Amino acid sequence: MKQITLLFLFTCSFLQAQISFKHIATYNDNEFQNVRRGEFPVNCIIDNPLTNNNPDLILIVTVDFGVIGPRFNDAYSVFFFDNKWIINTPNPAGIPENTKFNILAVPRGTNAFVHTSRPTSSNNTTIDNPLLNGNPNAKFLITKASFRNTKEVGIAYAPTINKWTILNLDLSLFAVNSYNIVIDNTIFIASATTVSSNNFTINNSTTNDGTNNLVFTTPLFQGVANANATGVWFNANRWKIFNQNASIAMPVNAKYMVLSKGNPPFRNTDNEVHVFLNDINETLCPQTLTRGDREFNGNGPRIQTAITLEIRNTTEIWAIINFTATETVSDFSTVSQRFEKRVFTTPNNRRIAQILSPITTNINFISPSAGTQFIGATGTSNNTVTNTEPMNFIKRMAIVGDTGGDDISTDNDCTDDTRIENISFFPIKVQFQN
């Protein structure tokens, strides 16, 4: 009975030794508040209970195209910070939202370790490890663990020294860098003997028909180098290795170390993305007097603004702005107006299912008297511009309350009237229909 128990415990321990899962680059609204249009955060946080609070793991990462991409044609590395593992790219354009990563996490040990290269005048660094030394048939994978070397790298066995090396695939001089290394005898070698444009098909029993497999790769240099960023892609019941840059052909006879892990289906977030709204740079001038005269006379006014985002025609997002300015003493002069502005149209008529970010923002404050307080660079002696604090999807609103003359406009000339001067937006997250 004791032998059965020990065998059971040993089996459980072996199964738990390696952790594998698919991670998809999803970002919250706060992470998107400081990125420029068309760019993404440079850090993709792996928030997974299997790896959180565990710095003693060795992570191997491979980009997976999935069903609709996107392509990620840049270098990346992994590091541990603030109790989570993070994928980082040195490219300021960042990691595109919905980029998919196959993650293999192995406890640090004899078969999973970090190699740090020393300063060298060659194009490679030598790995000194007893499991690899003198073993040209060794099978292992690597992933960058720091970012001083942004070149695409691979592995090669050097028979003159009976050791394995990591080399720049463009054969340029090697930079000091750290690399995660995982040795696994179930790894096999895939060769691009038959190339189709920028990719070739892996034909192996561990990957064929494996829709939900997690596939990991490392370039193996044996005379043919592919110095381009690559990824894996499942198509027509076969896994493929492809160049992320679709215009670059896969070199014939390029070789890769490949590891395949079975994995259950994952939640597809391809349809959840951040989009950039168009700022409103035209002046919005309310004219509907609902109470009192047209003069605030330095008494506020109290500004109450509610902005709501609304989907229309399934392909557009509109900003609905309900604006009210009220004098703070009798006769409580009040102006109200509803403005509707289209701020986003989907590309290629893609249909929006829902807005996932907050859709309503309320801004309330008492405007300073004209000519007595200046807020923002655009304030003048007759008009005080209040720049609101960022809130939800509103990055900034520039609002004029009290002015030097009559405050509530009677025409379309808003030069010296209560008004919204402009509205700028943060990106918001939407879900597109399938």
Side-chain angles (χ1 to χ4, degrees):
M1 188 68 180
K2 285 184 179 180
Q3 289 179 334
I4 295 176
T5 303
L6 288 173
L7 178 61
F8 175 76
L9 290 174
F10 175 78
T11 304
C12 288
S13 175
F14 178 77
L15 291 175
Q16 292 173 355
Q18 292 189 350
I19 301 166
S20 58
F21 58 91
K22 193 179 299 292
H23 176 76
I24 303 175
T26 57
Y27 303 109
N28 59 42
D29 289 348
N30 289 338
E31 289 175 286
F32 252 88
Q33 288 190 357
N34 295 316
V35 299
R36 295 179 295 183
R37 188 179 295 267
E39 294 186 353
F40 300 90
V42 296
N43 289 325
C44 174
I45 301 172
I46 305 173
D47 189 2
N48 189 308
L50 296 174
T51 56
N52 291 351
N53 304 303
N54 194 348
D56 293 323
L57 293 172
I58 300 298
L59 264 63
I60 299 296
V61 179
T62 295
V63 181
D64 186 342
F65 183 78
V67 179
I68 61 172
R71 295 181 184 275
F72 178 43
N73 189 26
D74 283 305
Y76 59 90
S77 67
V78 294
F79 67 96
F80 189 81
F81 177 76
D82 197 22
N83 296 320
K84 291 183 176 64
W85 283 93
I86 296 171
I87 302 171
N88 168 266
T89 180
N91 189 334
I95 299 174
E97 201 160 21
N98 289 321
T99 300
K100 285 158 281 293
F101 297 94
N102 294 336
I103 308 291
L104 174 68
V106 181
R108 190 183 297 258
T110 55
N111 68 321
F113 56 94
V114 176
H115 169 77
T116 301
S117 61
R118 297 177 179 178
T120 178
S121 58
S122 68
N123 61 9
N124 65 81
T125 176
T126 301
I127 306 170
D128 187 6
N129 180 273
L131 296 180
L132 301 179
N133 295 346
N135 185 3
N137 298 316
K139 304 292 191 300
F140 63 100
L141 303 170
I142 66 171
T143 291
K144 291 175 183 173
S146 62
F147 248 131
R148 290 175 290 273
N149 184 3
T150 60
K151 302 286 187 177
E152 291 299 316
V153 296
I155 57 176
Y157 188 75
T160 56
I161 59 174
N162 292 319
K163 290 182 180 178
W164 281 89
T165 64
I166 300 173
L167 77 160
N168 287 342
L169 291 170
D170 65 359
L171 304 183
S172 61
L173 293 181
F174 207 81
V176 174
N177 208 80
S178 294
Y179 299 87
N180 288 346
I181 297 178
V182 170
I183 303 170
D184 190 317
N185 289 331
T186 64
I187 292 171
F188 62 91
I189 296 174
S191 180
T193 53
T194 302
V195 169
S196 175
S197 183
N198 69 326
N199 68 84
F200 75 94
T201 299
I202 304 170
N203 186 9
N204 187 275
S205 60
T206 66
T207 57
N208 294 349
D209 302 315
T211 306
N212 297 315
N213 284 23
L214 298 173
V215 176
F216 305 89
T217 66
T218 290
L220 171 62
F221 179 74
Q222 291 185 344
V224 177
N226 180 20
N228 304 287
T230 60
V232 295
W233 172 44
F234 187 78
N235 177 261
N237 296 323
R238 294 292 185 269
W239 281 92
K240 304 174 186 295
I241 298 175
F242 71 99
N243 284 336
Q244 295 284 359
N245 187 332
S247 64
I248 299 178
M250 174 67 66
V252 175
N253 290 326
K255 292 180 172 56
Y256 291 82
M257 295 279 191
V258 180
L259 176 65
S260 178
K261 294 286 185 181
N263 197 62
F266 64 97
R267 179 171 175 263
N268 190 340
T269 63
D270 284 345
N271 291 332
E272 298 178 8
V273 297
H274 278 88
V275 298
F276 285 78
L277 305 179
N278 297 319
D279 294 341
I280 300 173
N281 292 314
E282 64 178 292
T283 302
L284 305 178
C285 186
Q287 300 177 27
T288 305
L289 180 70
T290 60
R291 184 176 180 179
D293 55 25
R294 291 184 177 271
E295 173 59 47
F296 297 134
N297 202 29
N299 300 305
R302 178 180 294 279
I303 305 293
Q304 296 174 295
T305 306
I307 308 100
T308 301
L309 299 178
E310 180 180 291
I311 301 171
R312 293 185 179 176
N313 305 317
T314 71
T315 60
E316 300 173 345
I317 296 177
W318 287 65
I320 314 303
I321 305 147
N322 289 294
F323 180 91
T324 300
T326 306
E327 189 178 13
T328 56
V329 300
S330 184
D331 62 352
F332 298 106
S333 296
T334 302
V335 63
S336 295
Q337 197 79 37
R338 175 186 173 97
F339 304 97
E340 300 184 2
K341 297 294 176 181
R342 184 174 58 187
V343 292
F344 178 74
T345 302
T346 63
N348 304 318
N349 290 318
R350 198 174 182 188
R351 295 176 175 271
I352 305 171
Q354 61 178 319
I355 299 173
L356 301 175
S357 301
I359 61 171
T360 300
T361 294
N362 293 290
I363 296 172
N364 301 306
F365 65 94
I366 296 178
S367 173
S369 299
T372 61
Q373 184 177 357
F374 296 86
I375 304 178
T378 55
T380 69
S381 59
N382 294 321
N383 298 311
T384 300
V385 180
T386 299
N387 292 318
T388 62
E389 293 293 325
M391 182 181 299
N392 292 339
F393 55 87
I394 297 295
K395 187 175 184 178
R396 192 196 72 157
M397 286 184 68
I399 299 175
V400 173
D402 190 39
T403 67
D406 286 346
D407 300 299
I408 300 174
S409 180
T410 58
D411 53 35
N412 291 324
D413 182 2
C414 299
T415 302
D416 200 33
D417 298 309
T418 297
R419 62 193 181 272
I420 299 173
E421 291 206 326
N422 54 68
I423 305 174
S424 58
F425 300 96
F426 287 121
I428 63 167
K429 195 170 192 177
V430 302
Q431 182 184 60
F432 287 112
Q433 296 180 16
N434 291 326

